[in-house]
Structure formats: structure tokens, C-alpha cells
Amino acid sequence: MTILVTGFNGKVGIEVAKKLKERSISMKCAVRNVEKAEENFGDGYRFTKLDLAEPTTFDGALEDVDQVFLIYPPGDKLEFQTFLEAIKHKGIKHIVYLSVKDVQYLPFIHHYKNEKHIKKLGIPYTFIRAGYFMQNLQDFLGDEIKERRRIFIPAGKGKTSFVDTRDLAEIAIHAFQNPGEHTNKNHVITGDRALDFYEVADRMTTILGEKVHYSNPTVKEFKSYMLKKGEKEDFVNVVIGIHFPTKLGLAKGVTHEFERITHTKPITIERYIEDYKENWVKN
């Protein structure tokens, strides 16, 4: 069994690769720039070139692969449908696709359409419908937390079901190792509870030992500030869109599928903050 891990440079793909490596499971890690990846990671992983905007890279990446961990990456002019057709042509036996929680109610996002396309392939699939990544706090929210000790995002007072990407990777591993148990299943994976960003700020304050506050900006305030910082408008709009369901109070649903599948408790927000607190330490 060899697994192709797409999105290696993302928050979930790297965790999937780490867990496969821990279990000595054969894999290829797909990246746009193989040389850069080898410089950063040495010979710890086997890399293959894959650019979803360049169909000429598809067959090589899928060579000698049985299963695929599939993500939909950021970028323009993606040939995602063509890649799915290449997956079918190559005889891939199982796709584990990273989707989003409540996707069935969100027909305007890529994941909704992508799930439908994957189903039409006739290949066994597992959809991991993920809650809100805890790791966003060290990603696009990280600079403001580190430099200004504030969570700066227009999410209102709504709660969201945070999940650690390490737990999402664990579900992917279970699906790869026991495909029969996960064939054509939709797994909605969240953490153990829903929190609003005021509560997250309180927990960060306690663990980091410095006051962190949630500023709860309006969409207009957020967008104006981020554009002045030099962020691209498309990216800013995506971030606003990610948090809109939270602002409306639609993101608070919690499931217990992680515990049912793994027989372990999901990672808590407190453990996540403790594990990654060095990311918010000022230089």
C-alpha cells in the first residue's frame, strides 16, 4: 500500500504525513516544488511533483499509488476535475478527501461540488468533514496574537467547534488502514466542545501568562485593516467567509465521531495552546 499525500505543506497534509511515517506506511508527498521540500525536510519524506494547475504533473504523482489523501488547495486555474479523472484512470482504490463541516448546506463552496464529483467517480471514498482548525490560531490569526495579543477576526459572539488538525490526520490514518470500515462514509470531526473567541482568548491568557483579548471587529474594520497590512483582497474575503457561519451562530455543532472511531478523546483547546505556545512568543 502506498498513499499519495496532497497538501503536504498545509495544516492537515503535513500531519497525515507525520502519522504515516510514524507507522512506517509507504507514501509519496505531493508538492509543487520538490527541491524546496527536500531542502526543508531532507530525506525524511519521499516527494513527488504535483501542481493541480498543471495536468502534466498528474500521472507521475499518481504512479504506483493505491490511495490518496486529497485536499482542495488555494490557487487559480486549478484542474481539479481533470485530476479526479486521472485518479480514476490510474485505478486508485480509495480517496480520503478533506472537506468541511456542514458542507451539505453550503452549495456555494468548492467542497460541495468536489464531494459530488468524487462520488461520481465510482471509487470508494471517505469524506472528513472538519470543524474549525485550532491551528488557524497560529496561521492567519497568529501575527496579531503574537504582536498585539489580540484575536482579530469578525466572528461575532458565535461559538465554533474547534478541532486539532492532528486529530483530523488520525481519522485519515484509520480510513487508510481500514478502508472497508470507512468506504463511502462522511465523518464529521470536531473537538470536544464549541467555544467563542472570547473563551479562546481567556484560555490563551491563562496558558501564555499574558493577556490576550478578542477584539471582535466588524467585517468592514477587519477588511480595511487587513488590506492596509498588504493582504490580498481575495484572501481577506475567504477569511471573512470562513467565519461568517460562526457569526451567525451556525458553527457550534459538536460530534463524537472522533472518539467513536479512535476510542480516544479529541485534543482539547488547552492542550493545543500548550503544545504550540512557542508560536505566540514575541522575539
Side-chain angles (χ1 to χ4, degrees):
M1 175 176 70
T2 297
I3 296 164
L4 178 69
V5 179
T6 70
F8 176 82
N9 289 315
K11 291 186 283 291
V12 183
I14 183 65
E15 298 299 338
V16 171
K18 287 177 182 177
K19 289 182 180 293
L20 290 171
K21 185 177 179 181
E22 288 171 4
R23 291 164 169 83
S24 300
I25 297 172
S26 176
M27 65 175 152
K28 294 165 66 175
C29 298
V31 293
R32 289 190 181 97
N33 189 326
V34 171
E35 290 184 0
K36 184 177 179 180
E38 289 175 342
E39 287 177 8
N40 291 335
F41 294 93
D43 59 1
Y45 297 93
R46 179 159 61 113
F47 294 105
T48 185
K49 182 175 177 60
L50 176 65
D51 186 338
L52 289 185
E54 293 184 21
T56 56
T57 66
F58 295 174
D59 282 352
L62 291 166
E63 195 68 34
D64 300 321
V65 166
D66 305 292
Q67 302 187 71
V68 175
F69 177 73
L70 183 60
I71 62 100
Y72 187 82
D76 299 322
K77 301 178 181 178
L78 300 179
E79 298 283 348
F80 194 77
Q81 180 65 36
T82 305
F83 185 61
L84 292 181
E85 292 167 2
I87 285 176
K88 183 172 184 177
H89 177 73
K90 282 288 188 178
I92 302 302
K93 298 174 182 176
H94 185 202
I95 298 170
V96 176
Y97 177 68
L98 180 67
S99 188
V100 297
K101 180 175 166 286
D102 300 322
V103 65
Q104 67 271 31
Y105 308 121
L106 305 170
F108 49 87
I109 68 172
H110 290 296
H111 295 296
Y112 182 93
K113 300 169 186 174
N114 291 344
E115 284 195 7
K116 287 188 175 297
H117 289 319
I118 291 169
K119 287 179 179 179
K120 288 179 181 178
L121 294 177
I123 297 172
Y125 65 83
T126 306
F127 295 152
I128 300 177
R129 294 177 173 174
Y132 186 91
F133 297 168
M134 293 179 188
Q135 277 73 6
N136 289 339
L137 291 164
Q138 70 201 64
D139 186 18
F140 55 79
L141 301 178
D143 285 346
E144 289 296 314
I145 296 172
K146 182 176 180 179
E147 300 301 328
R148 295 173 179 82
R149 288 294 185 248
R150 66 175 182 173
I151 299 175
F152 187 72
I153 202 70
K157 298 178 181 179
K159 293 180 181 288
T160 192
S161 48
F162 287 82
V163 64
D164 195 297
T165 60
R166 292 172 292 182
D167 283 346
L168 299 175
E170 189 65 31
I171 296 298
I173 302 306
H174 275 259
F176 286 132
Q177 291 189 303
N178 308 283
E181 297 175 16
H182 300 275
T183 295
N184 301 348
K185 297 287 182 65
N186 307 319
H187 295 317
V188 182
I189 307 299
T190 72
D192 63 341
R193 74 204 113 142
L195 300 168
D196 62 41
F197 282 95
Y198 293 106
E199 293 171 310
V200 174
D202 287 344
R203 284 158 174 76
M204 295 194 83
T205 295
T206 298
I207 294 169
L208 299 181
E210 294 186 46
K211 177 64 178 176
V212 176
H213 71 283
Y214 170 45
S215 55
N216 192 14
T218 65
V219 169
K220 184 177 180 180
E221 289 168 342
F222 176 78
K223 188 168 185 177
S224 175
Y225 177 80
M226 297 303 284
L227 292 177
K228 285 180 182 177
K229 279 185 67 175
E231 297 289 354
K232 293 182 179 179
E233 186 169 7
D234 287 349
F235 170 74
V236 174
N237 288 337
V238 167
V239 173
I240 292 170
I242 289 171
H243 297 85
F244 192 61
T246 300
K247 194 177 182 75
L248 293 178
L250 303 175
K252 59 187 177 182
V254 171
T255 75
H256 301 284
E257 288 196 48
F258 179 83
E259 187 172 355
R260 177 181 63 79
I261 293 168
T262 67
H263 304 295
T264 59
K265 299 286 187 182
I267 294 169
T268 64
I269 190 75
E270 291 84 2
R271 178 183 156 192
Y272 159 74
I273 296 168
E274 186 68 43
D275 287 350
Y276 292 96
K277 62 184 178 182
E278 293 303 316
N279 286 276
W280 303 294
V281 173
K282 294 180 182 180
N283 296 329

